Amino acid sequence: MGRRVVALASEDKTLQLVAAIENDQHPLLGQDAGDLAGVETMDVPLSSKWPNDADVVIDFSLPEAIDRCIEKCELHETALVVATTGMTDAQVERLNEASESIPIVWAPSMSLAVNLSMKLAQQITEKLLDVPGGLDIEIIERHHRYKADAPSGTALKFGDLIAEKLGDDTKHVHGREGHTGQRTRNEIGYHAVRVGDNPGEHTIVFGMLGERIELNVAASSRDCYAAGALAAAKWLSDKPEGMYDMFDVLEM
Ligand SMILES: NC(=O)C1=CN([C@@H]2O[C@H](COP(=O)(O)OP(=O)(O)OC[C@H]3O[C@@H](n4cnc5c(N)ncnc54)[C@H](OP(=O)(O)O)[C@@H]3O)[C@@H](O)[C@H]2O)C=CC1
Ligand SMILES: O=C(O)C1=N[C@H](C(=O)O)C[C@H](O)C1
């Protein structure tokens, strides 16, 4: 994702890349970020040193890297866009704490289509809540074989937003195996598929007796996330401290 953020930023004259940060063991440290991204040379070497002149930091990394990122953004009073998924509850708490002093956009998907689909999923759930025979909701996500966390952060957010409409007793069930017994009414099922180079696809199945709706949103490249993150960074640059998400950025 870092490479695509750099590549799209290089095409936008309103943005200036001041740093490209990696861990201190990375074999490509010192090489130019633009060269690595396959665009023009940008005179920004890949580095593990934190910049002190950034307006906004965009984080697509790993949960292991997020603590340092939060700490440095607080120290330098830098706005922060967090796209990384798979954070622990303690890290989410830490992020919320940091939002008391710096502006943060945090979203498991920076994609316009995904965020719009989240709103649609909530609307569909609301409309079908009392459908005769009952409603079963399952979330199937598909991603590339390299993905480190499951289910995706996006699938979990779809589930949380749907659960807001279903009610407090919603159970989140991850996969099924063995003698599971009949499906209960108040559960959301999650299924994570890992195949090839899939850049991300989510299908929300709303199953009823006699018919079903499948809401499918699929990326055809990872640029939807990179473009969303850059839009979030621009939007955030003049905002006061606080926790924001892509619904705020996209005014949904
Ligand atoms: N919100 C959204 O729209 C999207 C979110 N994501 C999320 O973004 C994250 C990154 O995804 P992706 O780019 O595919 O994953 P990658 O594993 O390709 O990239 C993660 C990068 O972070 C680097 N890294 C590891 N440790 C540190 C550290 N301590 N400091 C700085 N950098 C570090 C890794 O380096 P190394 O190679 O050395 O490990 C690697 O280059 C994932 O959590 C993914 O789920 C992805 C796409 C969209
Ligand atoms: O790792 C990925 O690739 C993606 N991760 C995010 C997630 O976990 O939801 C967003 C997107 O689906 C791509």
Side-chain angles (χ1 to χ4, degrees), residues 1 83 85-86 108-110 114 142-144 147-149 151-155 198-202 222 225:
M1 283 306 307
T85 57
S109 180
M110 300 288 157
V114 166
R142 295 163 206 247
H143 282 86
H144 51 91
K147 186 159 176 60
D149 55 320
S152 67
T154 305
N198 192 320
E201 180 174 350
H202 293 83
R222 313 189 86 196
Y225 313 123

Side-chain angles (χ1 to χ4, degrees), residues 24-63:
D24 58 8
Q25 304 297 316
H26 203 278
L28 299 175
L29 289 182
Q31 293 198 30
D32 184 75
D35 293 348
L36 290 171
V39 293
E40 69 204 9
T41 301
M42 296 171 89
D43 296 323
V44 176
L46 195 64
S47 171
S48 61
K49 274 187 63 188
W50 207 264
N52 52 17
D53 56 346
D55 296 319
V56 187
V57 164
I58 297 177
D59 181 273
F60 280 97
S61 63
L62 298 170

Side-chain angles (χ1 to χ4, degrees), residues 39-105:
V39 293
E40 69 204 9
T41 301
M42 296 171 89
D43 296 323
V44 176
L46 195 64
S47 171
S48 61
K49 274 187 63 188
W50 207 264
N52 52 17
D53 56 346
D55 296 319
V56 187
V57 164
I58 297 177
D59 181 273
F60 280 97
S61 63
L62 298 170
E64 297 88 285
I66 197 76
D67 296 324
R68 176 176 182 238
C69 178
I70 297 171
E71 188 190 306
K72 294 290 186 186
C73 286
E74 277 181 322
L75 183 70
H76 296 287
E77 296 183 350
T78 315
L80 172 61
V81 175
V82 179
T84 299
T85 57
M87 282 189 285
T88 63
D89 290 347
Q91 287 176 318
V92 171
E93 203 175 304
R94 181 74 189 84
L95 195 64
N96 278 312
E97 208 178 273
S99 73
E100 289 166 20
S101 58
I102 56 172
I104 298 176
V105 168

Side-chain angles (χ1 to χ4, degrees), residues 12 17 58 85 97-99 107 112 141-142 146 165-166 185 188 198 201 208 214 235 243:
D12 186 333
L17 185 75
I58 297 177
T85 57
E97 208 178 273
S99 73
L112 166 65
E141 56 99 334
R142 295 163 206 247
Y146 309 104
K165 302 294 174 190
L166 290 180
R185 269 285 72 77
I188 299 177
N198 192 320
E201 180 174 350
M208 295 158 277
E214 296 198 6
W235 181 88
M243 182 60 88

